[in-house]
Amino acid sequence: MSFPIQRSRRLRRSEAIRKMVQETELSAADFIYPMFVVEGSKVRQPVPSMPGIYNLSVDQALEEARQAQSLGIPAVILFGIPNHKDARASGAYAEDGVVQKAIRQLKKALPTLQVVADICLCEYTDHGHCGVVTNQDVDNDATLPLLAQTAVSCARAGADLIAPSDMMDGRVAAIRRALDEHRFESLPILSYAAKYASGFYGPFREAAQSAPQFGDRRGYQMDPANVREALKEVAQDIDEGADMVMVKPALPYLDVIAKVKERVDVPVAAYNVSGEYAMVKAAAQNGWIDYSRVMLEVLTSIKRAGADLILTYHALDAARLL
Ligand code: PBG
């Protein structure tokens, strides 16, 4: 049947009817808000390439997290920026590491807010790579025990979810085993399963001071041209014990999100990364696009593609509008 019997515009005539037939609904409950935590107190240092985002000392992170929770956002994910970086990333698994301190404070003050610990070494190594470097190469198997140790130390601090983002092979299994050995068998893992070697991480690396000092991350993160490989990575991580999986970045990989969603039975998260955020902010600051409208369109597209959860720097802005 076609026109004039079929008239699609009948269901678009008013806000009320459009709302009735709307297929995707964005909500603050979908968001995980990323925060960058630094040492010190009363620090609120703007990240130049990410307007509205700051490097926060723990006391300030607490205020920001309180805001997030009051807007209906259920979770935050923490990235630590230590004062001291070294070859073995010792700040990542230090008992009094900056993230460990932040987790303890957040959980004490806001017990129902879910605190996700990003597990990676790149913010803590002096060379900026995500693992231990041997002979100019990131050493996969030597990195696994350090990732496991980092996960256990964040678990001890009180993290609710463990999120490995390093892209070493076998890290989900290594982390699962270590958590279980330390009686954290009930703590879930959200793995960055399909993480691409993306140019969209630029602003994050400025914020976290984690750009690699030599080479790049293409030897461990995925080739943007591949999608079949993403399904393999996802299957493997679930096999190793991942409770949820993530696709990252989000906007240039909506097809990957959709395919992963079709294939798996676990919740799927997508990371609307720093460069995606920076593009929208920059265009809006130039008056070239309408910030609120474009932001909600972007986030809706990620949810429509199949993401159950969205990690996004827009979380507070979006939640205020929803
Ligand atoms: C750590 C990590 C990165 C991001 C999240 N975790 C950076 C990277 O891989 O270089 C990027 C997030 C963003 O760009 O918003 N490995």
Side-chain angles (χ1 to χ4, degrees), residues 278-311:
M279 288 196 304
V280 173
K281 279 281 178 179
Q285 284 186 345
N286 274 296
W288 295 340
I289 57 170
D290 174 338
Y291 177 66
S292 299
R293 191 171 168 186
V294 168
M295 166 182 66
L296 292 178
E297 191 171 334
V298 165
L299 295 172
T300 300
S301 77
I302 296 167
K303 182 147 189 205
R304 191 193 63 230
D308 300 290
L309 293 164
I310 305 173
L311 295 89

Short mmCIF file of all heavy atoms in Angstrom, two decimals, residues 278-311:
data_model
loop_
_atom_site.label_atom_id
_atom_site.label_comp_id
_atom_site.label_asym_id
_atom_site.label_seq_id
_atom_site.Cartn_x
_atom_site.Cartn_y
_atom_site.Cartn_z
N ALA A 278 34.42 17.13 22.03
CA ALA A 278 35.11 18.37 21.66
C ALA A 278 34.56 18.94 20.35
O ALA A 278 34.39 20.16 20.21
CB ALA A 278 36.62 18.11 21.52
N MET A 279 34.26 18.08 19.39
CA MET A 279 33.73 18.56 18.10
C MET A 279 32.40 19.29 18.28
O MET A 279 32.19 20.36 17.71
CB MET A 279 33.48 17.38 17.14
CG MET A 279 34.75 16.76 16.60
SD MET A 279 34.43 15.71 15.17
CE MET A 279 33.25 14.54 15.80
N VAL A 280 31.53 18.69 19.08
CA VAL A 280 30.21 19.29 19.29
C VAL A 280 30.35 20.62 20.05
O VAL A 280 29.75 21.64 19.67
CB VAL A 280 29.28 18.31 20.06
CG1 VAL A 280 27.97 18.99 20.43
CG2 VAL A 280 29.01 17.08 19.21
N LYS A 281 31.19 20.62 21.09
CA LYS A 281 31.40 21.84 21.88
C LYS A 281 32.00 22.96 21.02
O LYS A 281 31.58 24.11 21.10
CB LYS A 281 32.34 21.55 23.05
CG LYS A 281 31.65 20.90 24.23
CD LYS A 281 30.88 21.94 25.06
CE LYS A 281 30.16 21.24 26.21
NZ LYS A 281 29.41 22.16 27.06
N ALA A 282 33.00 22.60 20.22
CA ALA A 282 33.70 23.61 19.43
C ALA A 282 32.76 24.22 18.38
O ALA A 282 32.72 25.45 18.21
CB ALA A 282 34.93 23.00 18.75
N ALA A 283 32.01 23.39 17.71
CA ALA A 283 31.09 23.90 16.69
C ALA A 283 30.02 24.78 17.34
O ALA A 283 29.65 25.83 16.81
CB ALA A 283 30.45 22.74 15.92
N ALA A 284 29.56 24.37 18.52
CA ALA A 284 28.54 25.15 19.22
C ALA A 284 29.10 26.50 19.65
O ALA A 284 28.44 27.54 19.52
CB ALA A 284 28.01 24.37 20.42
N GLN A 285 30.36 26.50 20.14
CA GLN A 285 30.98 27.76 20.58
C GLN A 285 31.17 28.73 19.43
O GLN A 285 31.19 29.93 19.63
CB GLN A 285 32.32 27.47 21.26
CG GLN A 285 32.14 26.92 22.66
CD GLN A 285 33.47 26.76 23.40
OE1 GLN A 285 34.54 26.80 22.81
NE2 GLN A 285 33.38 26.56 24.71
N ASN A 286 31.30 28.19 18.23
CA ASN A 286 31.42 29.03 17.05
C ASN A 286 30.06 29.50 16.54
O ASN A 286 29.99 30.21 15.54
CB ASN A 286 32.14 28.28 15.93
CG ASN A 286 33.65 28.43 16.05
OD1 ASN A 286 34.16 29.52 15.93
ND2 ASN A 286 34.32 27.34 16.31
N GLY A 287 29.01 29.00 17.16
CA GLY A 287 27.66 29.34 16.70
C GLY A 287 27.26 28.60 15.44
O GLY A 287 26.33 28.99 14.75
N TRP A 288 27.94 27.52 15.13
CA TRP A 288 27.67 26.79 13.89
C TRP A 288 26.59 25.73 14.05
O TRP A 288 26.02 25.27 13.07
CB TRP A 288 28.97 26.12 13.38
CG TRP A 288 30.02 27.11 12.97
CD1 TRP A 288 29.82 28.43 12.64
CD2 TRP A 288 31.42 26.88 12.85
NE1 TRP A 288 31.01 29.02 12.32
CE2 TRP A 288 32.01 28.10 12.43
CE3 TRP A 288 32.23 25.77 13.04
CZ2 TRP A 288 33.38 28.22 12.21
CZ3 TRP A 288 33.59 25.90 12.82
CH2 TRP A 288 34.16 27.11 12.41
N ILE A 289 26.39 25.25 15.27
CA ILE A 289 25.31 24.29 15.51
C ILE A 289 24.62 24.65 16.83
O ILE A 289 25.18 25.39 17.64
CB ILE A 289 25.83 22.83 15.61
CG1 ILE A 289 26.87 22.71 16.72
CG2 ILE A 289 26.36 22.31 14.28
CD1 ILE A 289 27.26 21.28 17.05
N ASP A 290 23.45 24.09 17.03
CA ASP A 290 22.70 24.28 18.27
C ASP A 290 23.14 23.17 19.24
O ASP A 290 22.86 22.00 19.01
CB ASP A 290 21.21 24.19 17.93
CG ASP A 290 20.32 24.23 19.17
OD1 ASP A 290 20.79 23.93 20.29
OD2 ASP A 290 19.13 24.56 18.99
N TYR A 291 23.86 23.56 20.30
CA TYR A 291 24.48 22.57 21.20
C TYR A 291 23.49 21.54 21.73
O TYR A 291 23.69 20.34 21.58
CB TYR A 291 25.18 23.26 22.38
CG TYR A 291 25.76 22.27 23.37
CD1 TYR A 291 26.81 21.43 22.99
CD2 TYR A 291 25.24 22.14 24.65
CE1 TYR A 291 27.33 20.50 23.88
CE2 TYR A 291 25.76 21.21 25.54
CZ TYR A 291 26.80 20.40 25.16
OH TYR A 291 27.31 19.47 26.03
N SER A 292 22.41 22.01 22.36
CA SER A 292 21.49 21.07 23.02
C SER A 292 20.89 20.09 22.03
O SER A 292 20.80 18.89 22.27
CB SER A 292 20.37 21.82 23.72
OG SER A 292 20.93 22.67 24.70
N ARG A 293 20.49 20.63 20.90
CA ARG A 293 19.84 19.81 19.90
C ARG A 293 20.78 18.74 19.33
O ARG A 293 20.42 17.56 19.23
CB ARG A 293 19.35 20.74 18.78
CG ARG A 293 18.46 20.04 17.84
CD ARG A 293 17.84 21.02 16.88
NE ARG A 293 17.22 20.23 15.83
CZ ARG A 293 16.68 20.74 14.76
NH1 ARG A 293 16.68 22.05 14.56
NH2 ARG A 293 16.13 19.95 13.85
N VAL A 294 22.00 19.17 18.99
CA VAL A 294 22.97 18.23 18.40
C VAL A 294 23.41 17.19 19.45
O VAL A 294 23.51 16.00 19.16
CB VAL A 294 24.18 18.98 17.83
CG1 VAL A 294 25.31 18.03 17.49
CG2 VAL A 294 23.75 19.76 16.59
N MET A 295 23.62 17.64 20.67
CA MET A 295 24.01 16.71 21.73
C MET A 295 22.96 15.61 21.92
O MET A 295 23.29 14.42 21.95
CB MET A 295 24.18 17.47 23.05
CG MET A 295 24.25 16.57 24.26
SD MET A 295 24.39 17.52 25.79
CE MET A 295 22.81 18.34 25.86
N LEU A 296 21.69 16.02 22.00
CA LEU A 296 20.64 15.02 22.21
C LEU A 296 20.49 14.11 21.00
O LEU A 296 20.21 12.91 21.13
CB LEU A 296 19.31 15.69 22.56
CG LEU A 296 19.28 16.40 23.93
CD1 LEU A 296 17.93 17.07 24.16
CD2 LEU A 296 19.59 15.42 25.07
N GLU A 297 20.72 14.66 19.81
CA GLU A 297 20.65 13.84 18.60
C GLU A 297 21.77 12.79 18.59
O GLU A 297 21.54 11.62 18.26
CB GLU A 297 20.75 14.76 17.37
CG GLU A 297 20.43 14.08 16.07
CD GLU A 297 20.34 15.11 14.92
OE1 GLU A 297 20.03 16.30 15.18
OE2 GLU A 297 20.59 14.70 13.78
N VAL A 298 22.96 13.22 18.97
CA VAL A 298 24.09 12.29 19.03
C VAL A 298 23.80 11.18 20.05
O VAL A 298 23.95 9.98 19.74
CB VAL A 298 25.39 13.05 19.44
CG1 VAL A 298 26.48 12.08 19.86
CG2 VAL A 298 25.88 13.93 18.29
N LEU A 299 23.39 11.56 21.25
CA LEU A 299 23.17 10.55 22.30
C LEU A 299 22.02 9.61 21.93
O LEU A 299 22.10 8.41 22.17
CB LEU A 299 22.91 11.25 23.64
CG LEU A 299 24.10 12.05 24.19
CD1 LEU A 299 23.69 12.87 25.42
CD2 LEU A 299 25.27 11.13 24.54
N THR A 300 20.98 10.17 21.30
CA THR A 300 19.86 9.33 20.86
C THR A 300 20.33 8.33 19.81
O THR A 300 19.92 7.16 19.83
CB THR A 300 18.72 10.20 20.31
OG1 THR A 300 18.27 11.09 21.34
CG2 THR A 300 17.54 9.34 19.86
N SER A 301 21.21 8.77 18.92
CA SER A 301 21.67 7.86 17.86
C SER A 301 22.46 6.69 18.45
O SER A 301 22.36 5.56 17.97
CB SER A 301 22.53 8.61 16.84
OG SER A 301 23.84 8.85 17.32
N ILE A 302 23.21 6.96 19.51
CA ILE A 302 24.01 5.90 20.14
C ILE A 302 23.08 4.90 20.83
O ILE A 302 23.27 3.69 20.73
CB ILE A 302 25.02 6.53 21.14
CG1 ILE A 302 26.02 7.42 20.39
CG2 ILE A 302 25.74 5.44 21.93
CD1 ILE A 302 26.86 8.32 21.28
N LYS A 303 22.03 5.41 21.45
CA LYS A 303 21.08 4.51 22.09
C LYS A 303 20.28 3.73 21.04
O LYS A 303 20.07 2.52 21.17
CB LYS A 303 20.13 5.30 22.99
CG LYS A 303 19.16 4.40 23.72
CD LYS A 303 18.78 4.89 25.08
CE LYS A 303 18.00 3.83 25.82
NZ LYS A 303 17.12 4.42 26.84
N ARG A 304 19.87 4.42 19.98
CA ARG A 304 19.12 3.77 18.90
C ARG A 304 19.94 2.65 18.26
O ARG A 304 19.43 1.60 17.91
CB ARG A 304 18.74 4.82 17.86
CG ARG A 304 17.74 4.35 16.81
CD ARG A 304 17.69 5.35 15.66
NE ARG A 304 18.96 5.42 14.99
CZ ARG A 304 19.63 6.55 14.71
NH1 ARG A 304 19.13 7.74 15.00
NH2 ARG A 304 20.80 6.49 14.11
N ALA A 305 21.24 2.85 18.16
CA ALA A 305 22.12 1.83 17.57
C ALA A 305 22.15 0.57 18.44
O ALA A 305 22.46 -0.51 17.94
CB ALA A 305 23.52 2.38 17.39
N GLY A 306 21.84 0.71 19.73
CA GLY A 306 21.78 -0.48 20.58
C GLY A 306 22.49 -0.36 21.93
O GLY A 306 22.52 -1.33 22.69
N ALA A 307 23.04 0.80 22.25
CA ALA A 307 23.74 0.92 23.52
C ALA A 307 22.74 0.96 24.68
O ALA A 307 21.77 1.71 24.65
CB ALA A 307 24.60 2.18 23.54
N ASP A 308 22.98 0.13 25.69
CA ASP A 308 22.16 0.16 26.90
C ASP A 308 22.67 1.24 27.84
O ASP A 308 21.91 1.80 28.64
CB ASP A 308 22.22 -1.19 27.61
CG ASP A 308 21.70 -2.32 26.73
OD1 ASP A 308 20.49 -2.34 26.48
OD2 ASP A 308 22.51 -3.15 26.28
N LEU A 309 23.97 1.50 27.77
CA LEU A 309 24.60 2.50 28.63
C LEU A 309 25.51 3.36 27.78
O LEU A 309 26.15 2.86 26.85
CB LEU A 309 25.44 1.81 29.71
CG LEU A 309 24.65 1.00 30.74
CD1 LEU A 309 25.59 0.07 31.49
CD2 LEU A 309 23.94 1.92 31.70
N ILE A 310 25.59 4.65 28.11
CA ILE A 310 26.43 5.57 27.34
C ILE A 310 27.37 6.30 28.29
O ILE A 310 26.92 6.98 29.22
CB ILE A 310 25.58 6.59 26.57
CG1 ILE A 310 24.54 5.89 25.68
CG2 ILE A 310 26.47 7.50 25.72
CD1 ILE A 310 23.54 6.83 25.02
N LEU A 311 28.66 6.12 28.06
CA LEU A 311 29.65 6.90 28.81
C LEU A 311 29.80 8.21 28.06
O LEU A 311 30.16 8.20 26.87
CB LEU A 311 30.99 6.17 28.87
CG LEU A 311 30.99 4.85 29.67
CD1 LEU A 311 30.62 3.68 28.76
CD2 LEU A 311 32.34 4.61 30.32
#
